[in-house]
Amino acid sequence: MSILPFPSFLDDVKEKGFKKAVFEGIDDSVERLTAGLNVQDLREAFRGETPSRRPNPRLTPHADGFWLHMRPSYFNRDVTGMYPSFRLGWLSTYFVFFETITGILLMLWYTPSPEIAYGDMLTILSNVPLGQLMRDMHRLGAEFMVAVVALHMMRTWITGSYKKPRQFTWFSGLLLLVITGFLSFSGYLLPWDQLALWAVTIGASMAEATPVVGDQVNLLLRGAPELGANGLLRFYLLHVLALPALLFVMTGVHYYKVIIHGHSLPPQKENIGEDSAKRVPLDKRVYFIPDVLTNEMMWLGAVTFIITVLCIWFYHAPLENHADPQVTPLGTTAPWYFLWIQGALKLGDKFFWGVAFPTIALGALALLPYLDVTPSRRFAHRRVMLTLAMLLVSVTTILSYMGLAKFAVQTSAETEIVHELTFEPAHSKVGIGRTIPFDQMIVGAYTTAQLHGREGMSAADIIAEINAETQANGQFAQMLDELKNQHVSANQLPLRFRAIPADEAPKLMQVMQEFEHHLAQEPVELPNVWGALVITDNQAGLKRLDWVVSWDTVQIEGGEVMTDDDGEPVMVYATEEAPMLDEAGEPMLDDDGAPMMQEVTMMDDAGNPIPKRRIYSGHLFIHQESAYFD
Amino acid sequence: MNLLVIRSIESRILTGITMFVGIMILVGWVAINEEARMQAFVRQHTGRSIERGAELYASLCSECHGEEGHGAGDRAPGLNNPHLFGFDPVGEQTAAITTATRTLVRFTEDTDSLLAEFTDADNPPDAERQDEILAQLEELEAQISEQQTLIETAVAERAATLETLDTAVDNGLFPLWDSVVDIETTSDNEVEVFFNNNGTRLAQVGWAGDLQGYVVTTLIHGRPGSARVYPNSTGMAAWSQTAGGPLRQDQIEDLAAYIINWDKGANWTTEDFLAVAQYGKPLADGSLPSEPPPPPAGDNVAGILARWAEMEIVGSPATGELLYDAEFGCTDCHTNGASAPDTVGTATRVRTERLTLPQFAGYTVEQYLVESITRPGDYVVDGYSSGLMPSNFGARMTDQQLADIVAFLLTQE
């Protein structure tokens, strides 16, 4: 007898023999862990056999266990195919867990402080094994999650699954969509790079347009008038605490509602006005264990595998330069899922389009089940709602397109072209100038003038001609002045243009051609234009590329080129100080006896006015080993 | 679409297991390549850091330290400077002389002991041994003369290098040498003495840490200028935000990365040394600053305006434009309104917008501009960040220069 008040394992061994006692002990433990299934039950389930015990032990985990109490014990065969769910709801939940796990791993290496955050990103990328993979997965998962949740909503709309009795399920789902958007958005700020700072600055400034409370909401969110230490901390807490808490609670509510009402059947599978989701005929029942369970485990593997492959070969989370409130990247955009608001903002009033319009849109979505109360879920009976769905997709797409930087943002032609060549790496793109391989950056001055006109001449002759022209009319000297102002060392200034070394540096040639192509697109704003690239050595392994645009000035007002009555652009002419002459041709003197001066337009030898030449430049430093977005 | 649904349980389990094994293989494959990837990232990022440092250097530092880091004579030392990186122009020869001398001593000792053995009366070597000793002595003699030649060559080269430096000093390359060297010596070898005493810049200033630390610390806190060496310098401003300057820590590190990238390691030459204006160069016209330079304008706005009236200082817009664009680099920021108000329209905006503000009641346009240049922190235009504009322009400009710039800005309608 045992000294314990109940039979011990040893008593069991004495009574039944060692082998039997061990097997029974294992069986018992398995049954406790699975909340109802013993080894034999599991074996039968995974072999696809019918259960040998009665009552069906595969239902007990749903009744007695925690994890499966929020999953139905069986489904209708009609909802287990790819249609009608497309696995979108399941995928959304998958991403909740996927993001939580990868996010916690990243949290280990992260401190929400503007002084440290960017350095932490560098540490994750340079000193944490698998750190880059985790970051890529977290970022890609976040983008996918927003898309999947939005598609899930669209599917629910199309199959009419929001109708009675699922109105509240729809509403909780809509909340989840909004939370997902904000979760993804709040995560944008955390790396504290340029992308983070500016995407969030734009996003947060939308809130500013709200009347009365706008400033307060914005202040509350940022913790200071400018995004800084407080703002980062607040976004961090939103991202890792407040929003996930809300998300988990709402996910629970949403799942609970799904259990209560069942998965809605494809519209054509049930009678109009009837909800038969909970009445599943015996022959249509597909049990969670083992069918749906194995299916979901398989998908779990498949989706994770796909994301892993994408993150290894096809996607890397971008890390731009350190956040800099002083340097606004040209063409900053909000994250893609908020682009539609940015597009709407270009339509007019900041409050109406930035706040009222999204609120009305979301409000209309929330009220959808109460506005569309027709009983039928059949496609043929829901032409208006399906049209509206397509309209929503189209409008969002068009507005998102309008949100892109290239739409209706005015910048002068020369700024735009030089920006195209030199912009700071952003949105996974680098300036064209950066695409020239380092060994093809051959020191010298090159001009796009070499590339147009002048048929039948050798490159050397063309360059000689250009050199003679630009030296004579002072344009070359003007370029040198501009370079000096931009701190190019006087020792390094070029003496003349060289022919572009197309054989040694094909990519350099290609970029110059692209430069020329861009300049040629602007004959009105940039008349008689030429571009130049001046490559100088700066340090060992470091070159400097100066991009210069030189053109005749035209009058521009409000971003538009002024034209005269004939539709020709109005030129601006160079002027100089000249003594005023009286009728006799004598210089006029002022009271002190000094000659009186006036501004006169300069004329060339043929008596034509000389246009005022303008010059603009931008530059890049390029280090041999630097790389972005690799 | 329904092809994606796998009907049989076995196939699902098999597919799922394959996927999980696949994930493990992929992650394992990534893991074994992590070391190389992380090293590559470090290199890429160092390159990025140097690029951004170059950008900052060109716009903020090149004015005083020179575009190529060779110094700007009367203002600040060169940083692309062998001495900063610990290059001793005669170091190689000195080392060669030392090594050869040691070898020479060893050979001489060997010769002595062989001679002692050869002439030992008590225990004379036999004939065979005598031949052996004579052969060895002959060999040693050749080696000794070889080392002597080596030493002579190195000594000659060393003397030549020192001569080059001495000549450079005599010709006024380092006109303020005496005040720097600060040694009482009547000998001709003051250059040699200097390098013996101050092998590197860090040793010269008595810095116990490494070069990175020296550069970063100087960038953060700035340093006082030496009036003896740089009569036109008011010292280096503190650049880091932690010390009241405009730069963030990551920018300080970018700048340091750029400066340290000048290091040529073992490839520095005496020519590099001669290219640097480390100890104050003659002014552009070749003269030394004999008279004390005009005092800076300072930041007492009322005082400045009073002096202008009293001394009849009138600005020239043309000179002002040059100063504004190049000398003080104002257009680096004041160019398109992105980081600072645009230059174009300054006068109009001051007259029609700023002076209507209550705190500027009674100001003249000149007064507003002088205050904005010399005391940029007192008022920052809405929409721009404070602390961005260096606050030491008053200390860097003379009254005349300030008046020129104000005159230029008054033409910007």
Side-chain angles (χ1 to χ4, degrees):
Chain A
M1 267 312 280
S2 161
I3 53 161
L4 298 170
F6 50 85
S8 74
F9 176 67
L10 280 178
D11 296 328
D12 265 11
V13 172
K14 270 186 218 155
E15 195 179 320
K16 301 169 189 163
F18 182 73
K19 194 174 168 189
K20 192 154 189 248
V22 168
F23 279 0
E24 277 185 8
I26 291 174
D27 214 32
D28 193 47
S29 303
V30 168
E31 197 167 332
R32 282 166 205 268
L33 285 173
T34 58
L37 295 173
N38 61 28
V39 174
Q40 175 63 19
D41 297 334
L42 282 175
R43 188 182 287 156
E44 285 162 5
F46 289 122
R47 282 176 176 173
E49 293 163 2
T50 47
S52 59
R53 282 205 289 158
R54 289 285 154 198
N56 187 348
R58 296 175 196 175
L59 299 181
T60 31
H62 295 275
D64 297 354
F66 172 76
W67 294 108
L68 292 189
H69 88 275
M70 54 183 115
R71 308 304 312 274
S73 48
Y74 54 80
F75 290 66
N76 189 318
R77 187 169 303 287
D78 290 331
V79 301
T80 58
M82 285 308 284
Y83 177 81
S85 72
F86 303 101
R87 300 283 186 280
L88 290 167
W90 179 84
L91 267 177
S92 310
T93 320
Y94 166 85
F95 280 119
V96 172
F97 288 100
F98 184 82
E99 290 300 290
T100 308
I101 294 166
T102 50
I104 287 174
L105 288 173
L106 290 173
M107 273 171 84
L108 292 177
W109 304 98
Y110 183 77
T111 308
S113 145
E115 282 85 35
I116 307 174
Y118 189 78
D120 284 342
M121 291 299 119
L122 299 180
T123 308
I124 287 174
L125 292 173
S126 68
N127 212 7
V128 178
L130 299 179
Q132 188 191 35
L133 185 69
M134 278 305 121
R135 196 172 109 81
D136 293 348
M137 283 182 157
H138 191 70
R139 181 64 178 264
L140 189 66
E143 311 271 358
F144 274 153
M145 186 168 159
V146 178
V148 163
V149 175
L151 286 172
H152 183 44
M153 185 197 81
M154 214 57 232
R155 194 280 299 169
T156 313
W157 184 328
I158 288 169
T159 60
S161 304
Y162 53 80
K163 294 199 172 195
K164 198 181 168 192
R166 297 190 180 76
Q167 297 98 324
F168 185 74
T169 320
W170 166 268
F171 181 71
S172 63
L174 189 69
L175 281 184
L176 283 169
L177 174 66
V178 174
I179 295 170
T180 306
F182 280 114
L183 254 176
S184 193
F185 179 63
S186 58
Y188 248 76
L189 186 66
L190 306 188
W192 204 246
D193 62 351
Q194 282 284 68
L195 176 67
L197 182 74
W198 291 101
V200 173
T201 301
I202 287 190
S205 69
M206 287 174 191
E208 220 167 355
T210 325
V212 190
V213 296
D215 284 342
Q216 273 68 28
V217 169
N218 208 10
L219 194 60
L220 212 59
L221 206 58
R222 299 185 187 185
E226 297 290 324
L227 262 178
N230 285 324
L232 181 56
L233 186 58
R234 282 169 199 211
F235 270 77
Y236 175 73
L237 291 175
L238 276 178
H239 188 72
V240 304
L241 213 63
L243 291 170
L246 269 178
L247 184 81
F248 284 124
V249 170
M250 288 317 295
T251 306
V253 171
H254 196 69
Y255 253 89
Y256 182 73
K257 287 285 157 189
V258 173
I259 301 282
I260 292 289
H261 299 306
H263 292 79
S264 76
L265 294 172
Q268 67 278 19
K269 296 276 182 184
E270 61 185 5
N271 295 328
I272 294 172
E274 199 177 280
D275 182 55
S276 46
K278 291 294 274 183
R279 296 194 304 277
V280 187
L282 275 175
D283 61 332
K284 286 236 171 191
R285 287 187 186 178
V286 176
Y287 284 87
F288 186 85
I289 299 171
D291 289 274
V292 178
L293 181 64
T294 49
N295 198 11
E296 289 187 350
M297 294 307 281
M298 181 193 79
W299 277 103
L300 185 72
V303 177
T304 313
F305 182 78
I306 292 168
I307 295 179
T308 313
V309 168
L310 287 178
C311 288
I312 294 176
W313 285 292
F314 300 100
Y315 176 85
H316 289 307
L319 183 68
E320 296 179 3
N321 287 338
H322 192 289
D324 190 343
Q326 287 2 304
V327 181
T328 319
L330 203 62
T332 304
T333 53
W336 61 268
Y337 41 84
F338 284 152
L339 266 183
W340 59 281
I341 308 184
Q342 208 176 350
L345 277 169
K346 289 180 189 170
L347 290 171
D349 184 61
K350 199 174 169 187
F351 168 67
F352 180 77
W353 289 107
V355 181
F357 167 70
T359 313
I360 293 170
L362 279 175
L365 280 177
L367 290 177
L368 187 70
Y370 307 100
L371 297 175
D372 173 28
V373 289
T374 54
S376 174
R377 293 174 54 222
R378 303 260 163 107
F379 297 146
H381 304 152
R382 298 178 60 240
R383 289 180 186 150
V384 175
M385 289 318 288
L386 293 182
T387 312
L388 278 179
M390 293 307 113
L391 204 63
L392 178 71
V393 174
S394 316
V395 167
T396 318
T397 312
I398 293 169
L399 283 180
S400 296
Y401 172 75
M402 286 167 54
L404 293 177
K406 60 182 169 184
F407 184 83
V409 175
Q410 283 201 341
T411 326
S412 61
E414 72 277 6
T415 318
E416 192 124 327
I417 291 168
V418 170
H419 174 259
E420 199 56 27
L421 291 157
T422 62
F423 66 84
E424 183 182 352
H427 297 283
S428 305
K429 288 200 288 286
V430 296
I432 305 169
R434 237 172 219 288
T435 59
I436 307 172
F438 191 78
D439 57 1
Q440 293 191 20
M441 295 174 189
I442 300 168
V443 172
Y446 311 104
T447 172
T448 60
Q450 183 193 338
L451 302 171
H452 53 226
R454 309 189 207 229
E455 298 274 318
M457 289 173 70
S458 74
D461 290 347
I462 296 177
I463 285 293
E465 214 175 275
I466 294 170
N467 275 324
E469 284 166 17
T470 51
Q471 306 267 9
N473 60 21
Q475 289 173 11
F476 193 82
Q478 192 187 20
M479 177 179 88
L480 296 187
D481 278 345
E482 168 72 10
L483 293 177
K484 257 187 265 177
N485 284 344
Q486 299 299 325
H487 304 291
V488 176
S489 163
N491 303 333
Q492 304 244 19
L493 291 176
L495 298 174
R496 60 189 75 80
F497 288 121
R498 291 178 51 191
I500 304 165
D503 296 333
E504 300 148 77
K507 185 68 189 175
L508 172 67
M509 184 64 174
Q510 195 192 325
V511 169
M512 287 304 281
Q513 280 163 342
E514 225 165 306
F515 190 12
E516 163 65 14
H517 173 78
H518 283 302
L519 292 173
Q521 305 293 306
E522 304 285 351
V524 183
E525 215 178 314
L526 304 175
N528 297 324
V529 66
W530 53 259
L533 165 61
V534 180
I535 304 180
T536 45
D537 269 325
N538 195 274
Q539 279 184 337
L542 185 71
K543 304 228 184 207
R544 178 181 165 131
L545 276 60
D546 278 86
W547 305 86
V548 185
V549 180
S550 166
W551 72 102
D552 288 344
T553 322
V554 290
Q555 271 193 33
I556 294 183
E557 232 160 72
E560 295 293 324
V561 175
M562 305 267 291
T563 49
D564 59 17
D565 299 339
D566 304 332
E568 293 292 318
V570 181
M571 305 298 290
V572 178
Y573 296 105
T575 56
E576 61 185 342
E577 295 256 308
M580 286 168 75
L581 302 180
D582 60 15
E583 286 160 11
E586 293 294 316
M588 290 161 69
L589 302 179
D590 63 12
D591 297 344
D592 299 338
M596 289 164 75
M597 306 296 280
Q598 61 177 353
E599 294 256 307
V600 293
T601 304
M602 289 166 73
M603 298 289 174
D604 63 12
D605 297 341
N608 297 317
I610 303 172
K612 184 171 180 188
R613 197 71 185 171
R614 281 201 60 196
I615 199 150
Y616 179 79
S617 81
H619 61 265
L620 272 177
F621 284 95
I622 297 187
H623 190 269
Q624 200 168 3
E625 290 189 321
S626 86
Y628 284 83
F629 314 127
D630 268 9
Chain B
M1 189 66 104
N2 273 331
L3 282 176
L4 283 173
V5 179
I6 297 174
R7 292 284 165 207
S8 97
I9 290 185
E10 292 92 325
S11 309
R12 280 185 223 153
I13 293 177
L14 196 63
T15 316
I17 290 174
T18 314
M19 292 298 174
F20 278 108
V21 171
I23 295 167
M24 283 187 267
I25 292 173
L26 284 178
V27 173
W29 184 76
V30 172
I32 56 174
N33 288 310
E34 278 298 79
E35 202 53 48
R37 183 197 63 75
M38 292 191 294
Q39 280 169 13
F41 178 83
V42 170
R43 284 197 302 275
Q44 290 174 3
H45 193 269
T46 308
R48 281 159 68 162
S49 179
I50 290 172
E51 285 171 3
R52 291 194 305 277
E55 193 64 60
L56 290 168
Y57 182 89
S59 63
L60 301 174
C61 317
S62 62
E63 194 195 311
C64 294
H65 290 284
E67 273 98 4
E68 292 175 88
H70 286 151
D74 55 340
R75 280 207 212 133
L79 302 170
N80 181 5
N81 178 354
H83 194 224
L84 180 66
F85 294 97
F87 168 74
D88 178 353
V90 292
E92 206 175 308
Q93 290 97 336
T94 310
I97 294 169
T98 314
T99 319
T101 311
R102 279 197 196 125
T103 319
L104 191 64
V105 169
R106 212 179 62 232
F107 288 158
T108 319
E109 282 168 7
D110 289 354
T111 311
D112 288 348
S113 74
L114 284 173
L115 279 176
E117 190 184 345
F118 193 79
T119 55
D120 189 351
D122 300 338
N123 195 5
D126 57 21
E128 198 182 328
R129 179 61 188 155
Q130 281 182 6
D131 288 348
E132 207 177 288
I133 290 175
L134 285 175
Q136 282 182 10
L137 280 174
E138 203 171 321
E139 202 179 314
L140 277 171
E141 196 177 348
Q143 282 170 333
I144 286 171
S145 101
E146 192 187 327
Q147 293 303 321
Q148 278 166 340
T149 322
L150 275 180
I151 293 173
E152 274 162 29
T153 321
V155 167
E157 276 177 19
R158 190 163 184 275
T161 309
L162 289 170
E163 182 63 30
T164 316
L165 290 170
D166 265 333
T167 314
V169 171
D170 290 346
N171 291 344
L173 183 70
F174 312 142
L176 301 155
W177 176 259
D178 288 341
S179 58
V180 179
V181 174
D182 212 7
I183 45 171
E184 290 294 325
T185 173
T186 50
S187 70
D188 295 336
N189 63 346
E190 55 189 29
V191 174
E192 189 179 355
V193 172
F194 174 75
F195 280 108
N196 282 345
N197 293 344
N198 309 290
T200 73
R201 178 86 182 129
L202 297 190
Q204 190 189 357
V205 298
W207 179 262
D210 63 356
L211 183 62
Q212 167 90 17
Y214 178 67
V215 172
V216 169
T217 305
T218 314
L219 282 168
I220 292 176
H221 300 288
R223 47 163 295 174
S226 167
R228 290 180 311 176
V229 187
Y230 303 111
N232 287 351
S233 164
T234 51
M236 177 159 152
W239 284 101
S240 164
Q241 286 175 354
T242 54
L247 299 183
R248 299 183 310 269
Q249 185 59 25
D250 63 292
Q251 292 176 308
I252 298 281
E253 274 153 25
D254 291 343
L255 259 175
Y258 176 73
I259 290 166
I260 286 170
N261 194 40
W262 263 313
D263 192 2
K264 289 189 191 172
N267 299 325
W268 288 106
T269 62
T270 310
E271 283 68 42
D272 291 326
F273 195 92
L274 297 178
V276 181
Q278 173 68 16
Y279 303 109
K281 267 196 167 178
L283 300 180
D285 59 1
S287 69
L288 287 173
S290 50
E291 285 178 28
D299 62 358
N300 175 354
V301 180
I304 293 169
L305 291 171
R307 275 201 305 279
W308 288 7
E310 185 191 329
M311 300 166 71
E312 292 179 356
I313 294 175
V314 180
S316 139
T319 320
E321 183 169 8
L322 283 177
L323 292 169
Y324 191 85
D325 285 349
E327 181 84 8
F328 293 103
C330 310
T331 38
D332 289 345
C333 298
H334 292 277
T335 184
N336 54 13
S339 53
D342 196 357
T343 303
V344 179
T346 301
T348 318
R349 281 196 311 274
V350 172
R351 203 172 302 115
T352 59
E353 293 172 28
R354 313 280 184 257
L355 294 191
T356 58
L357 296 171
Q359 67 262 48
F360 296 119
Y363 270 55
T364 62
V365 181
E366 285 86 354
Q367 190 181 356
Y368 177 88
L369 289 172
V370 168
E371 182 180 303
S372 302
I373 296 169
T374 58
R375 307 173 65 90
D378 284 8
Y379 165 74
V380 178
V381 178
D382 266 356
Y384 296 103
S385 304
S386 56
L388 197 57
M389 178 161 159
S391 55
N392 61 353
F393 279 121
R396 285 164 56 189
M397 290 172 184
T398 62
D399 273 325
Q400 184 61 51
Q401 286 175 321
L402 183 57
D404 291 343
I405 286 176
V406 169
F408 163 66
L409 288 175
L410 286 173
T411 66
Q412 297 297 303
E413 295 291 340

